């Protein structure tokens, strides 16, 4: 019973679907959306090869579509648009898509003989690649960074049209090398050799992050000063940094003594006539001394971004940084019944030493590091 019921429901639904496909194809045709109409009619003929509406309108929809695309191609051909071949290729690809669609239906092939545009696409692609190539070569010959960066984009676009076009890949790499700005991060000197290792860590982390960041500009590369000779880097700018007015481990100790008292009820070792133990109210006292130890590390860093050769100041700024370490504990003398829960918890803390000076120095540089990275990101557009 159930299979019969499913079949009885499926057939009307399928008929409605085919009727909708036919009507939607005719509606698209009447609206002048000929590409979509061709595809709708082909799908209909795949399911119902004898459909009269699809057979009658498919040829006209295809012809109208070709006429529309060919008209666009002709307008491109007579235009002064330097990149017209890319537009022409897109039109040919649209017509080739119709060719491929019609070949999926024998019934459609019975009423339409579609034109194969694969050779036209290949020719347009080669012309488009050649235009991009020639533009790139002309820009590269201007021998300046701005033009080299534009040339890089032209060669990339050329290779997108044709992967192995002439020597476009080599010229793309040449254009990038000539258009890139190499920023060399200088060694940072500090007045105390005790902190030199930590300062070197700061610089190494900065250089590594700048190298791996995706938002520092396509044509900006950062290198450590030590890479100049080993990697044969051409310096275009120097990033010079200097820490000054920094204080590591400025310690402050605050003590606060608080006299505490509280009334409590104690049970006596005596009973009344009913046998109930007697109680007495007494006042308990104690002194809680809270000790807060604060260690402050702070300082400034100057940076300058200087152009190679001309010593032109590209950017400079002074960046503050600070880090505060704090530990709080307490000492108590007296009757502990006077203490509340928060005071008992405070008494569990211990007098622990602050981090070593190198760690404090690195901690105070973290906000400087964040400011530095943000500034360099904003400068990527002018480098």
């Amino acid at each position: 019973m159930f299979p019969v019921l499913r079949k009885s429901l499926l057939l009307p639904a399928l008929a409605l679907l085919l009727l909708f496909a036919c009507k939607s194809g005719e509606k698209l045709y009447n609206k002048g959306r000929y590409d979509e109409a061709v595809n709708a009619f082909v799908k209909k003929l795949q399911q119902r090869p004898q459909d009269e509406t699809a057979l009658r309108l498919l040829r006209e929809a295809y012809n109208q579509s070709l006429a529309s695309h060919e008209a666009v191609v002709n307008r491109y051909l007579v235009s002064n648009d330097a990149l017209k071949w890319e537009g022409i290729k897109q039109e040919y690809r649209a017509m080739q898509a119709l060719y491929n669609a019609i070949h999926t239906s024998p019934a459609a092939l019975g009423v339409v003989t579609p034109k194969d545009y694969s050779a036209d696409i290949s020719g347009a692609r080669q012309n488009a690649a050649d235009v991009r190539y020639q533009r790139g070569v002309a820009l590269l010959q201007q021998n300046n960074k701005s033009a080299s960066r534009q040339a890089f984009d032209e060669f990339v676009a050329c290779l997108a049209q044709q992967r192995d076009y002439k020597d476009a890949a080599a010229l793309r790499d040449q254009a990038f090398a000539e258009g890139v700005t190499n920023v060399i991060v200088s060694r940072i000197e500090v007045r105390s050799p005790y902190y030199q290792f930590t300062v070197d860590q700061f610089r190494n982390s900065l250089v590594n992050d700048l190298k791996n960041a995706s938002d520092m500009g396509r044509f900006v590369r950062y290198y450590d000063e030590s890479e100049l000779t080993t990697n044969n880097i051409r310096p275009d700018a120097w990033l010079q940094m200097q820490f000054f007015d920094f204080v590591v481990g400025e310690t402050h100790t605050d003590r606060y003594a608080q006299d505490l008292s509280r009334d409590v009820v104690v049970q006596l070792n005596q009973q009344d006539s009913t046998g109930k133990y007697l109680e007495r109210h007494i006042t308990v006292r104690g002194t809680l001394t809270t000790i807060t130890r604060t260690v402050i590390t702070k300082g400034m860093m100057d940076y300058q971004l200087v152009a190679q050769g001309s010593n032109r100041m590209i950017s400079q700024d002074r960046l503050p940084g600070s880090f505060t370490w704090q530990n709080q504990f307490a000492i108590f003398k007296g009757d502990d019944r006077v203490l509340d829960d928060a005071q008992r918890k405070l008494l569990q803390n211990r007098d622990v030493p602050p981090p070593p000076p190198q760690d404090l120095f690195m901690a105070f540089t973290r906000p400087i590091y964040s400011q530095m990275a943000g500034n360099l990101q904003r400068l990527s557009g002018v480098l």
Side-chain angles (χ1 to χ4, degrees), residues 100-126:
N100 295 335
I102 291 171
H103 271 268
T104 64
S105 168
L109 281 171
V111 293
V112 176
T113 303
K115 181 179 177 180
D116 186 351
Y117 283 89
S118 56
D120 300 276
I121 294 172
S122 178
R125 180 184 293 116
Q126 184 163 348

Side-chain angles (χ1 to χ4, degrees), residues 191 195 244-250 296-299 361 364:
R191 66 173 183 263
Y195 299 112
F244 71 100
D245 285 350
F246 66 88
V247 177
V248 178
E250 180 182 288
I296 299 172
T297 300
K298 59 186 177 180
F361 188 94
F364 110 81

Side-chain angles (χ1 to χ4, degrees), residues 132 135-136 139-140 142 144-156 175 179 218-219:
R132 291 287 191 176
R135 283 159 61 100
L139 286 164
L140 203 54
Q142 294 182 26
N144 63 72
K145 280 189 182 297
S146 177
S148 294
R149 293 177 179 186
Q150 295 176 61
F152 173 83
D153 290 333
E154 293 294 341
F155 291 125
V156 169
R218 290 189 303 156
F219 295 100

Side-chain angles (χ1 to χ4, degrees), residues 307-367:
Q308 169 75 8
S310 67
N311 289 327
R312 177 177 62 88
M313 187 69 66
I314 300 172
S315 177
Q316 62 179 335
D317 202 353
R318 176 168 294 182
L319 307 176
S322 65
F323 173 73
T324 300
W325 176 89
Q326 192 173 77
N327 181 51
Q328 191 175 69
F329 59 100
I331 299 172
F332 177 73
K333 291 182 180 181
D335 191 325
D336 63 4
R337 290 177 295 178
V338 77
L339 298 170
D340 59 25
D341 291 341
Q343 292 163 340
R344 292 178 188 278
K345 186 176 180 180
L346 181 62
L347 284 168
Q348 294 175 5
N349 295 346
R350 294 293 177 263
D351 182 10
V352 296
Q358 295 93 332
D359 292 351
L360 291 173
F361 188 94
M362 182 60 79
F364 110 81
T365 65
R366 289 193 187 107

Side-chain angles (χ1 to χ4, degrees), residues 152-183:
F152 173 83
D153 290 333
E154 293 294 341
F155 291 125
V156 169
C158 170
L159 292 168
Q161 298 296 329
Q162 190 167 322
R163 277 188 307 177
D164 56 351
Y165 192 79
K166 295 183 179 180
D167 58 345
L171 292 178
R172 173 202 59 196
D173 296 342
Q174 178 186 339
F176 182 84
E178 294 179 8
V180 72
T181 294
N182 297 317
V183 180

